[in-house]
Amino acid sequence: MSSSENPEIVERVFKDKDKEENDDKKDEQKGGFIEKVKDFIHDIGEKIEETIGFGKPTADVSGIHIPHINLEKAEIVVDVLVKNPNPIPIPLIDINYLIESDGRKLLSGLIPDAGTIHAHGSETVKIPLNLVYDDIKTTYHDIKPGSIIPYKIKVDLIVDVPVFGRITIPLEKTGEIPIPYKPDIDVEKIHFQRFSFEETVAVLKLKLENKNDFDLGLNSLDYDLWLSDVNVGGAELEKSATLAKNGITYIDLPITFRPKDFGSALWDMIRGRGTGYSMKGNINVDTPFGAMKLPISKEGGTTSLKKNKEDGGDDDEDED
């Protein structure tokens, strides 16, 4: 009986193999059919695109501007040029943006319903961003005032195009941005050019320390000066100056005041004793990142007064 059962077992094995081969052929035919359908749909899409003229829009970051920057924040505008090759307008559904520095997020957000790109046209989409320095310094303690940090801006434009559907266009742009720091200011001395009780002409010897990692091109000052609690006003900067990065610069400012307005403090001035002063105002400077208006202030300072020899002084001013 054992010899009569063997053929049946062998026969069943061959039958199973035949079935597997048939199943494989069916799978191949099925897979081939799906691929043919995909190719057909793709071909149809290309023919529709060629016939009607639909195409995918393109975009590029055409510029980054910093229209306003101060000690509190930087206003950044990202210009994105979007081109629409289609015969109908396409909606710009959303704009996702992210600003990071060395892989750390500084700012992110979303702008919904960002507008429409005209048919067969191009539009410059402006993305306004506000970078608040207190938020950055509070989150990342190693970012110090006066430093320059690298940044990367990532933008995702989401548009809706007929035939293609929703498309995401990713964009990136890198650069540098400063964390500005106000300069320190001191009135080193006041040198009298012409002294009288009615009107005195003098020159302030100002010491300005730039604590930023970038130069400041000083264009003008807007300030008030108090000597012995008497406001003597301000003066205009006679010529521009460059405040070198992490350096000290001396500038001369002419002033005119009436010593008799100082009352009893006048005698300290005449005797050449130290005179208390305070100074508040702003400086307008040019930087590699755009124009800035930075505050200057000094409270409770003391300065010396020097007179010319013809006015009874020693004229011993040191040359700096």
Side-chain angles (χ1 to χ4, degrees):
M1 288 183 64
S2 61
S3 61
S4 62
E5 291 176 357
N6 286 338
E8 292 181 4
I9 296 173
V10 172
E11 187 178 357
R12 289 195 188 101
V13 171
F14 284 132
K15 284 182 180 179
D16 291 341
K17 286 183 178 180
D18 291 341
K19 184 178 180 182
E20 288 178 0
E21 289 176 359
N22 290 333
D23 290 341
D24 290 340
K25 288 180 181 180
K26 288 180 180 179
D27 289 339
E28 289 178 3
Q29 291 173 356
K30 184 178 179 181
F33 174 75
I34 292 174
E35 290 300 322
K36 287 180 181 179
V37 170
K38 288 182 179 179
D39 292 340
F40 175 76
I41 294 173
H42 183 267
D43 293 340
I44 290 295
E46 287 186 344
K47 289 179 180 179
I48 292 174
E49 179 183 341
E50 292 172 1
T51 304
I52 304 178
F54 284 113
K56 293 181 180 179
T58 59
D60 186 37
V61 178
S62 57
I64 295 179
H65 314 282
I66 307 177
H68 184 71
I69 186 170
N70 55 30
L71 295 182
E72 287 76 37
K73 65 179 180 178
E75 296 178 3
I76 303 172
V77 177
V78 182
D79 291 342
V80 178
L81 180 63
V82 185
K83 296 181 179 179
N84 177 19
N86 298 291
I88 62 172
I90 59 172
L92 184 53
I93 299 172
D94 290 323
I95 298 176
N96 292 309
Y97 61 84
L98 167 70
I99 303 180
E100 61 181 21
S101 178
D102 292 329
R104 300 180 296 185
K105 184 178 77 171
L106 304 180
L107 179 69
S108 65
L110 180 144
I111 302 175
D113 302 324
T116 301
I117 311 302
H118 295 301
H120 293 305
S122 61
E123 297 283 341
T124 297
V125 179
K126 295 185 177 295
I127 306 173
L129 310 172
N130 284 327
L131 203 58
V132 180
Y133 292 129
D134 280 346
D135 294 343
I136 297 173
K137 290 181 286 187
T138 301
T139 306
Y140 307 113
H141 300 289
D142 59 319
I143 297 180
K144 302 298 182 183
S147 61
I148 300 174
I149 62 173
Y151 71 81
K152 177 187 290 185
I153 294 180
K154 296 181 179 180
V155 176
D156 286 339
L157 300 179
I158 303 175
V159 296
D160 196 352
V161 184
V163 178
F164 297 99
R166 288 197 174 190
I167 296 175
T168 299
I169 307 174
L171 304 170
E172 285 189 7
K173 195 77 171 180
T174 59
E176 291 182 327
I177 195 166
I179 311 294
Y181 194 68
K182 71 175 184 178
D184 283 348
I185 188 167
D186 282 304
V187 179
E188 288 263 301
K189 61 190 73 173
I190 301 175
H191 185 252
F192 293 137
Q193 291 186 328
R194 187 176 71 251
F195 183 86
S196 73
F197 291 110
E198 290 295 330
E199 183 180 73
T200 290
V201 179
V203 174
L204 300 180
K205 176 74 72 172
L206 287 186
K207 174 186 175 183
L208 287 164
E209 183 177 2
N210 178 14
K211 295 184 176 182
N212 295 285
D213 290 338
F214 50 92
D215 293 346
L216 302 176
L218 180 61
N219 294 321
S220 64
L221 292 92
D222 177 20
Y223 70 94
D224 281 313
L225 176 68
W226 288 264
L227 293 175
S228 298
D229 297 326
V230 176
N231 190 334
V232 299
E236 293 184 359
L237 183 68
E238 291 187 332
K239 61 180 181 179
S240 60
T242 299
L243 310 183
K245 63 180 182 180
N246 298 308
I248 295 174
T249 304
Y250 294 90
I251 61 174
D252 293 339
L253 285 179
I255 61 168
T256 302
F257 61 94
R258 290 157 48 98
K260 69 178 185 179
D261 294 337
F262 288 77
S264 60
L266 174 62
W267 303 112
D268 289 336
M269 296 175 64
I270 293 175
R271 295 186 182 107
R273 296 177 180 175
T275 300
Y277 77 91
S278 296
M279 195 172 188
K280 289 183 180 180
N282 300 281
I283 59 174
N284 295 301
V285 297
D286 290 328
T287 76
F289 310 96
M292 295 187 196
K293 187 175 185 178
L294 300 175
I296 53 173
S297 64
K298 180 72 175 184
E299 298 284 347
T302 302
T303 188
S304 59
L305 296 95
K306 304 293 181 181
K307 292 190 293 183
N308 290 330
K309 286 183 179 180
E310 56 267 28
D311 292 323
D314 295 330
D315 198 19
D316 60 348
E317 180 181 10
D318 296 331
E319 294 296 330
D320 294 299

